[in-house]
Amino acid sequence: VLDREISLDAIERVEIVRGAGSVLWGADAFAGVVNIVPKSGQPQAGVEAGLEAGNVDLYGGTLNWARSEHDWDAFLAAAGLRETLDDADSSHYGELVGTLNLGGWLHLSGRWSDFERNYTMNSGTEEIRWSGTREAPVNYLKATASKVHGPSHYSLMGFYQSTDFKLREQLVDGPFERSQRNHVWHAELTWDRRIMSRGLLTLGASWRRTEVDDAILRNDFSTLPLPGGGSFVPLSDQADFTNDLGSLYAQFRYQLWQGEWWAGLRLDDHSEYESTLSYSLGMHQPLGEDFNLKVAYGTAFRSPYSSQLNGNQAFDPESVQTISVQLAWEVDRGHSLELTLYHSDIDDHIAEDPFGGLSQ
């Protein structure tokens, strides 16, 4: 759940691709892709500072530094904030974001965050009230090396991400805590090549390893009356899991009739689940001077790890089929109308019963 976990002070822009994009970006991209681009040392060199304050005991600040030389540039941003809501303890947020570009071919970026949200909750009748704390710090480090050689472009990318989630609540019978730590390692090699002057072929291979310590499978409360007068019993099931994922993908785009058409295929080989094959088809075509039509169709797969942790590994991954049709009309400069139709089907959906622990 997002709160104040991401500051926009270090963000250059946010890119959004609508429609299925699972071939290039993985099975999670069955509805679209959001790419957050951090600032770099170009063109904003120097120092920038900011302060903010609010009437809920809120205060914070930001400090950005950027420098650019002939063969490198760097950017560093720090942000911090503290606020107090209702009768809870004060919450705080801190973040460091940095980017470094060397020689136009090596790009490094990283993000460190510290996040703690304090809150109060109550039962439906408000007879019982308790306090809680949620922590969700995210650490991220990414490196990309790219090279252009003739009509070809080569890119080697890798990143590591960790999330240390903690939830503490002060209940009637004492404190109750759940924690979960996620580690993700990812490496990817991509080759793009211009073909027949108007075509672009993309081939890629990637590997990802996901490790979760104490994954929270169930996290709720029982409100039934208990012997001794208690009314709240925390229920929490946790377990560890690991998954390796190897992927191969290819996509071809071609400019035709002043528009662009594409088709792609992706193979995902899971260590714990069945292998899956995703594909996508689409087109973006101008219709005269004022209208544009975009159609995207794609498939993807989702594999809930809770089924693996419950000992049931022989299941079919959830299959997702998505189609998106968008018609845009540019009325005049600065004014446009868009109509988007979106339809998605999910097969073999796995539903978890939070009380009985059964699945179907």
Side-chain angles (χ1 to χ4, degrees):
V1 178
L2 291 179
D3 200 331
R4 287 187 174 270
E5 296 154 352
I6 295 179
S7 171
L8 297 180
D9 293 278
I11 303 305
E12 178 68 27
R13 65 185 183 274
V14 177
E15 302 171 339
I16 298 176
V17 177
R18 305 182 190 181
S22 299
V23 166
L24 292 185
W25 293 290
D28 291 337
F30 60 89
V33 181
V34 178
N35 185 39
I36 300 176
V37 182
K39 293 180 179 178
S40 64
Q42 295 182 350
Q44 61 270 352
V47 178
E48 181 183 50
L51 296 174
E52 63 175 306
N55 63 347
V56 287
D57 292 335
L58 181 149
Y59 54 90
T62 60
L63 182 63
N64 296 352
W65 171 86
R67 182 172 179 178
S68 177
E69 299 293 341
H70 69 282
D71 59 348
W72 65 273
D73 65 82
F75 174 81
L76 185 63
L81 183 137
R82 182 177 292 272
E83 66 178 341
T84 304
L85 298 177
D86 299 327
D87 56 351
D89 294 335
S90 61
S91 303
H92 68 265
Y93 162 79
E95 180 186 61
L96 282 175
V97 174
T99 61
L100 176 64
N101 300 316
L102 298 174
W105 67 274
L106 181 60
H107 311 276
L108 305 175
S109 62
R111 178 175 180 267
W112 170 88
S113 69
D114 179 35
F115 177 83
E116 180 181 291
R117 165 65 69 191
N118 289 283
Y119 57 89
T120 58
M121 296 188 66
N122 56 66
S123 60
T125 59
E126 299 191 6
E127 297 177 355
I128 302 176
R129 190 176 181 88
W130 69 96
S131 61
T133 301
R134 183 175 69 91
E135 299 180 23
V138 178
N139 301 316
Y140 185 81
L141 183 62
K142 179 180 178 180
T144 302
S146 60
K147 179 70 174 178
V148 176
H149 182 71
S152 297
H153 173 252
Y154 303 88
S155 177
L156 177 62
M157 181 271 289
F159 73 79
Y160 167 74
Q161 175 179 295
S162 68
T163 306
D164 193 6
F165 175 81
K166 294 181 181 179
L167 190 64
R168 297 187 298 271
E169 294 183 310
Q170 186 66 35
L171 304 177
V172 177
D173 297 329
F176 178 56
E177 178 175 333
R178 286 83 81 207
S179 63
Q180 173 179 316
R181 187 171 179 84
N182 298 5
H183 306 268
V184 179
W185 293 266
H186 183 89
E188 187 164 354
L189 177 64
T190 307
W191 174 60
D192 297 299
R193 182 180 178 85
R194 288 288 176 184
I195 297 178
M196 298 179 293
S197 73
R198 307 187 70 180
L200 177 64
L201 176 64
T202 300
L203 301 177
S206 66
W207 169 85
R208 174 177 295 195
R209 182 178 181 86
T210 302
E211 294 182 0
V212 180
D213 300 330
D214 295 325
I216 299 176
L217 303 185
R218 181 171 60 169
N219 179 31
D220 51 24
F221 294 92
S222 172
T223 58
L224 299 177
L226 301 175
S231 60
F232 265 142
V233 173
L235 303 175
S236 181
D237 293 334
Q238 297 182 250
D240 301 337
F241 89 99
T242 301
N243 182 42
D244 291 306
L245 173 64
S247 304
L248 298 173
Y249 57 90
Q251 179 174 272
F252 182 67
R253 305 178 73 95
Y254 192 77
Q255 295 177 344
L256 184 64
W257 302 318
Q258 297 182 339
E260 193 168 24
W261 299 62
W262 66 88
L265 195 67
R266 182 185 186 98
L267 172 64
D268 290 321
D269 183 24
H270 301 264
S271 63
E272 303 295 334
Y273 314 119
E274 298 178 1
S275 299
T276 57
L277 194 64
S278 307
Y279 59 89
S280 68
L281 302 168
M283 55 86 76
H284 179 217
Q285 185 67 45
L287 303 177
E289 296 182 355
D290 301 328
F291 289 88
N292 283 276
L293 176 65
K294 177 182 178 181
V295 180
Y297 173 76
T299 62
F301 297 88
R302 296 188 298 182
S303 300
Y305 60 76
S306 55
S307 296
Q308 171 198 352
L309 297 177
N310 287 335
N312 178 19
Q313 299 183 15
F315 68 93
D316 293 327
E318 296 180 356
S319 174
V320 185
Q321 302 181 54
T322 301
I323 184 170
S324 176
V325 181
Q326 179 186 351
L327 180 64
W329 175 34
E330 187 173 355
V331 181
D332 53 44
R333 185 175 180 84
H335 298 83
S336 63
L337 296 175
E338 296 182 3
L339 173 65
T340 301
L341 304 178
Y342 174 82
H343 181 75
S344 184
D345 282 331
I346 300 180
D347 297 328
D348 298 319
H349 174 62
I350 299 176
E352 299 288 343
D353 180 1
F355 300 103
L358 303 177
S359 302
Q360 62 182 8

